[in-house]
Amino acid sequence: MTTSPAPRSRRALLRATLLPAGLAASLVLVPLPAAVAAPSADAVIAEVYGGGGNSGATLKNDFVELANKGGAAFGLDGWSVQYISGTPGAGSQWGVTPLTGTVAPGARYLVAEAAGAAGTVDLPTPDAAGSLALSGTSGTVALVRGTDPLTCKTAADCAADPRVRDLVGFGTAVVHEGSAAAAGASNTASVARRTGLADTDDNAADLAAGAPTPTNSKGEVAEGSTPTGPTEPGTVRIHDVQGATRLSSRTGKTVAGVPGIVTGVRGYGSKGFWIQDPNPDADPATSEGIFVYTGSATPTVKVGDSVLVTGKVTEYYPNFNGGSQSLTQLTNPAVTVVSSGNPLPAAVVVDTRNIPGTYSPQAPAGGTIESLPLDPEKYTLDFYESLEGMRVEVKDVRVVQATDKYNELWVAADKQDQKSRRGGVLYESYAEPNVGRLMIQQQAPVAQQPFPVANVGDVLTGSTSGPLDYNSFGGYTLVAGPLGALQDNHLAREVTAQATDRELTLATYNVENLAPGNPDSKFAELAQAVVTNLRSPDIIALEEIQDNNGAKSDGTVDASQTVAKFTAAIKAAGGPAYDWRSIDPEDGKDGGEPGGNIRQVFLFNPQRVSFTDIPGGSATSAVDVAGTGAATALTASPGRIDPANEAWANSRKPLAGQFSFRGQKVFVIANHFNSKGGDQGIDSRFQAPARSSEVQRTKQAVVEQAFMAKLLAADRTAKVVSLGDFNDYQFSPALGALTKDGVLRDLVNELPEKEQYSYVYQGNSQVLDHILVSPEVGYAKYDVVHINSEFAQQASDHDPQVVRIKP
């Protein structure tokens, strides 16, 4: 059986020239130059480094890197890389490192060689490993078909060996391709092929010295190395980086030549740009988009650029302690723009048809959902995560949280979420978060492109599209390029019903860190709301009244100037001359903004109601109940409920006051329970999210319920109104504890369902403020007066509430 000869090398072999016998003796033979052959169309030696572990080196190992310029995989089984010194002598031999596997089209293949005593950085995981000790300055490396050592020791002999596929001589090597060896190799510099993996079979022309950039077949480079702009696509695609879970399997690795189309650029804040692969895989769980973080550098790419990006894969948590999801991104990028003006990949339309109705999978006990495979057809959070970094689009969407000072708003992408009466979406239970809420930001700075100033119920008409991000305050965010047009639906601020002369009106209003240094306009706006929208209630429980110098920590606790400025503003707005009562807290003991010493304050209209002053109340003394029946009274008015109880640590203590209206005794408790700070968000990577602050609020509710039970035990007919900012929902354990045994009833539950909210957060209209009454109050006309939470222009972030009773 005959066999075909092995394929010839791409090099032209030296051939003997047949001459007429008569001429042979007269010819003078001259030395032939090193052979120059046809350039390789596929496998080449891309980079050689012999300084690994030498003095001054960062890398610990020498290496040889191969590349495949061809359109098909290049098999390496049975091949080898071989090395010989720059000036081989009679006894010099080629060292051999056998190879296996393949080099994919456009990919690299890293061969680790001997390590030295110096250096601090490991190579990325090599595809093959040997023990060849390359010189840092001069030598020759060959890519050889077979594993038997070469025998050639001159450029001509090596060019004539059909087993040599490619050869790189560097420094002063006598064995090289073309006119000269590649120059510049050292302990800190490799020699690498120029742009496009140039191969003209002239080492001096084809290769140049530079910082070593070892890259393996996965596109990973050495830790801490500065990548150079890629010249051809690597083997890793965006969906490979993103993977089918929340965390990339390539975290901490550097990937080379990741291709994509620039779909968005952010030149302020967290600077960078988004890229998306126009050629997606078939897995709906793997995102085709990713954010490229440029640090302090303003991106120079433009939307529509086709780019190659080399960068380190990282997971960024905008709010790690708060339990936020992570963002997979590329950092420390090197970017090559291949072309510009390319069409963008089609945006995924996010709406009722594809948003799953179940919000999140459940995490394993004590763990997170990060390692769970994404199921974007079943879970809302998985659906959004599978689109992270990709272009998404919403159409004709209703605004469910007004534009804030950071120029962002929330919309309802799913029209099936429970709608409030005025256009928001209602948060009704822990088990059923609204699935369609999306935050909208924009890529352009507001100075270049004004952001719409929208209220709840307005509509962004048409298309709003851009990459899907995750916000530092929680929540998936569409970072819009083109924004829909704003349709103003003219939301009006509510005005409560007019009370009759025989009705006692009580209100609660969180005035959001009110201090004398606030602008006069804030005082005027709050005052006008008291007079016009609340119709000058007889009693107002105020929360977040700061001391006289606001958020300055100098021991000041007196708030008389704050209250005086506010009551003067009310009178100027046409309201009554309110009197007031409060108790100054201990400095720094009640939480809130540091130095502010917030507290609750009773305002009351002395023309309508009288305050029963009973001495003994202080920041540290506890109010109690004295007497029984009609003689029941507080031991101090104003007084604080059990202020030494650990339930009130670093939190506001309830302020109790005794009032008289038309000869009838009324007990009022002003509250500001512990905030939700420290709770994990509803979109947390921890599912179900921990609500750590709930523990303290429940303890506070237990303390107050016990006081209420004692008061009602003394006088079962006592008329009690407990009101304020309870920082919790009507369905929460805290409100359940507060209303235990029927000592109080929560009036918000008596409103129509679509009106049960006083605050808007992350697009959810929810209840934080409450008015509760004791059983004998009976008649109670209750109203949440929506004047703040749904509006871009707010005097406070809370809506006030008012109740009309007939004691």
Side-chain angles (χ1 to χ4, degrees):
M1 180 177 181
T2 60
T3 59
S4 300
R8 302 286 284 178
S9 164
R10 62 184 174 82
R11 287 165 172 70
L13 302 181
L14 295 177
R15 296 185 293 252
T17 303
L18 299 178
L19 299 174
L23 294 177
S26 64
L27 289 176
V28 177
L29 298 178
V30 296
L32 293 175
V36 177
S40 174
D42 41 43
V44 293
I45 298 171
E47 187 173 1
V48 175
Y49 175 61
N54 293 352
S55 176
T58 299
L59 294 171
K60 296 178 181 178
N61 291 72
D62 300 339
F63 69 85
V64 178
E65 183 184 306
L66 309 179
N68 181 5
K69 299 169 58 178
F74 188 90
L76 289 174
D77 288 348
W79 289 68
S80 63
V81 291
Q82 302 192 19
Y83 169 75
I84 199 167
S85 64
T87 54
S92 300
Q93 295 184 338
W94 287 83
V96 178
T97 298
L99 307 176
T100 58
T102 61
V103 192
R108 303 298 177 109
Y109 183 99
L110 183 64
V111 185
E113 297 295 359
T120 57
V121 176
D122 293 321
L123 296 174
T125 304
D127 301 296
S131 57
L132 303 179
L134 279 60
S135 166
T137 56
S138 180
T140 302
V141 175
L143 173 60
V144 179
R145 181 195 298 271
T147 56
D148 292 334
L150 296 173
T151 58
C152 58
K153 297 181 182 179
T154 66
D157 287 345
C158 289
D161 191 326
R163 296 179 300 158
V164 177
R165 184 55 171 259
D166 193 19
L167 183 142
V168 170
F170 59 96
T172 57
V174 298
V175 179
H176 56 79
E177 289 181 344
S179 60
S186 70
N187 289 350
T188 58
S190 68
V191 291
R193 292 203 180 269
R194 300 179 190 273
T195 302
L197 295 173
D199 183 20
T200 64
D201 279 357
D202 187 341
N203 290 161
D206 293 342
L207 293 99
T213 57
T215 306
N216 64 17
S217 60
K218 295 180 179 179
E220 300 165 346
V221 303
E223 185 69 27
S225 66
T226 301
T228 57
T231 58
E232 65 281 325
T235 58
V236 177
R237 296 297 181 264
I238 294 172
H239 50 251
D240 299 322
V241 176
Q242 289 281 14
T245 65
R246 285 172 164 77
L247 302 181
S248 173
S249 62
R250 289 174 164 81
T251 301
K253 304 294 185 181
T254 298
V255 292
V258 179
I261 304 295
V262 177
T263 59
V265 178
R266 186 163 59 203
Y268 63 97
S270 180
K271 295 179 180 178
F273 58 94
W274 290 268
I275 60 173
Q276 184 168 334
D277 195 329
N279 301 304
D281 66 3
D283 188 350
T286 57
S287 172
E288 302 296 339
I290 197 166
F291 184 65
V292 181
Y293 176 62
T294 58
S296 61
T298 300
T300 57
V301 297
K302 302 182 299 297
V303 172
D305 284 351
S306 174
V307 297
L308 301 174
V309 179
T310 295
K312 181 179 179 180
V313 180
T314 61
E315 294 290 345
Y316 169 62
Y317 292 87
N319 183 4
F320 182 83
N321 292 331
S324 75
Q325 304 281 344
S326 67
L327 277 169
T328 305
Q329 57 187 19
L330 299 179
T331 60
N332 190 30
V335 183
T336 301
V337 177
V338 178
S339 63
S340 298
N342 297 280
L344 302 186
V348 176
V349 177
V350 176
D351 60 18
T352 305
R353 293 170 296 179
N354 56 9
I355 301 174
T358 303
Y359 194 67
S360 175
Q362 292 297 298
T368 76
I369 59 176
E370 291 181 309
S371 63
L372 300 179
L374 297 177
D375 190 344
E377 294 184 359
K378 184 174 183 180
Y379 299 114
T380 305
L381 290 184
D382 289 12
F383 171 70
Y384 290 139
E385 179 66 20
S386 73
L387 300 175
E388 179 190 278
M390 291 178 62
R391 289 190 73 227
V392 297
E393 180 183 22
V394 291
K395 297 179 178 179
D396 299 325
V397 284
R398 190 177 76 254
V399 175
V400 295
Q401 182 166 334
T403 304
D404 63 21
K405 62 183 179 181
Y406 304 106
N407 297 298
E408 54 197 19
L409 55 81
W410 290 73
V411 298
D414 187 343
K415 293 180 172 58
Q416 292 184 351
D417 283 340
Q418 178 67 294
K419 188 177 179 181
S420 75
R421 185 174 65 84
R422 290 160 58 87
V425 291
L426 295 169
Y427 187 46
E428 298 181 298
S429 77
Y430 294 128
E432 297 178 312
N434 294 301
V435 300
R437 299 166 298 106
L438 275 181
M439 179 183 278
I440 304 292
Q441 296 176 336
Q442 69 179 21
Q443 296 168 29
V446 176
Q448 297 177 12
Q449 176 181 312
F451 191 76
V453 179
N455 297 325
V456 169
D458 292 346
V459 176
L460 289 182
T461 63
S463 171
T464 297
S465 64
L468 190 66
D469 200 24
Y470 187 87
N471 186 265
S472 59
F473 295 102
Y476 285 93
T477 303
L478 192 164
V479 188
L483 269 163
L486 179 64
Q487 175 183 300
D488 184 353
N489 285 342
H490 306 290
L491 187 70
R493 300 182 197 271
E494 291 186 334
V495 176
T496 196
Q498 180 68 57
T500 66
D501 186 60
R502 298 182 63 83
E503 290 178 323
L504 173 67
T505 55
L506 303 96
T508 173
Y509 200 174
N510 182 320
V511 291
E512 196 175 10
N513 290 318
L514 188 65
N518 290 155
D520 291 346
S521 58
K522 177 173 181 176
F523 280 89
E525 193 172 350
L526 289 167
Q528 192 64 58
V530 168
V531 175
T532 301
N533 303 89
L534 300 182
R535 297 187 185 270
S536 301
D538 299 320
I539 300 171
I540 308 173
L542 299 175
E543 299 86 51
E544 294 196 17
I545 291 289
Q546 290 196 344
D547 62 36
N548 290 338
N549 61 13
K552 181 178 181 181
S553 297
D554 63 356
T556 299
V557 293
D558 178 32
S560 57
Q561 294 175 24
T562 312
V563 179
K565 187 172 181 178
F566 188 34
T567 55
I570 293 173
K571 189 172 182 180
Y578 280 106
D579 200 351
W580 65 284
R581 297 291 188 274
S582 186
I583 292 177
D584 292 335
E586 291 183 279
D587 185 35
K589 294 294 183 68
D590 278 20
E593 187 176 17
N597 288 312
I598 56 175
R599 83 290 310 277
Q600 298 91 273
V601 172
F602 288 125
L603 299 187
F604 62 95
N605 180 357
Q607 301 301 314
R608 291 269 302 162
V609 66
S610 62
F611 188 86
T612 305
D613 288 295
I614 303 172
S618 72
T620 57
S621 60
V623 64
D624 204 348
V625 178
T628 60
T632 300
L634 301 179
T635 59
S637 175
R640 298 178 111 191
I641 297 177
D642 200 3
N645 193 297
E646 59 91 20
W648 309 111
N650 199 38
S651 182
R652 284 68 56 188
K653 290 72 176 170
L655 181 69
Q658 186 172 316
F659 293 84
S660 178
F661 175 71
R662 301 178 71 90
Q664 297 295 313
K665 192 182 302 180
V666 180
F667 301 98
V668 184
I669 302 173
N671 299 274
H672 190 185
F673 277 19
N674 185 52
S675 79
K676 290 183 173 293
D679 286 7
Q680 293 167 354
I682 58 176
D683 53 11
S684 169
R685 65 185 183 276
F686 298 96
Q687 291 293 332
R691 298 181 294 272
S692 57
S693 69
E694 188 177 80
V695 176
Q696 184 174 1
R697 282 192 302 280
T698 303
K699 290 180 179 179
Q700 293 173 344
V702 168
V703 172
E704 183 165 326
Q705 192 273 349
F707 180 83
M708 286 296 308
K710 187 173 185 179
L711 180 59
L712 293 178
D715 179 8
R716 65 179 182 81
T717 67
K719 311 299 190 296
V720 185
V721 179
S722 180
L723 71 176
D725 177 3
F726 290 87
N727 269 314
D728 225 332
Y729 315 117
Q730 69 274 36
F731 50 80
S732 68
L735 270 295
L738 189 59
T739 57
K740 182 182 177 183
D741 298 330
V743 298
L744 293 170
R745 79 178 198 267
D746 191 354
L747 296 178
V748 74
N749 295 315
E750 299 176 14
L751 286 178
E753 185 179 44
K754 291 188 175 185
E755 297 179 21
Q756 295 178 7
Y757 61 95
S758 65
Y759 190 83
V760 182
Y761 181 68
Q762 290 189 355
N764 276 320
S765 294
Q766 54 197 255
V767 178
L768 293 185
D769 309 87
H770 300 257
I771 297 180
L772 305 98
V773 296
S774 60
E776 286 299 315
V777 168
Y779 176 95
K781 297 298 183 181
Y782 167 72
D783 188 16
V784 180
V785 187
H786 301 300
I787 60 174
N788 288 319
S789 68
E790 300 171 309
F791 295 88
Q793 173 59 41
Q794 300 178 342
S796 168
D797 50 354
H798 290 251
D799 286 329
Q801 304 181 1
V802 64
V803 64
R804 310 191 311 273
I805 65 174
K806 293 181 178 179

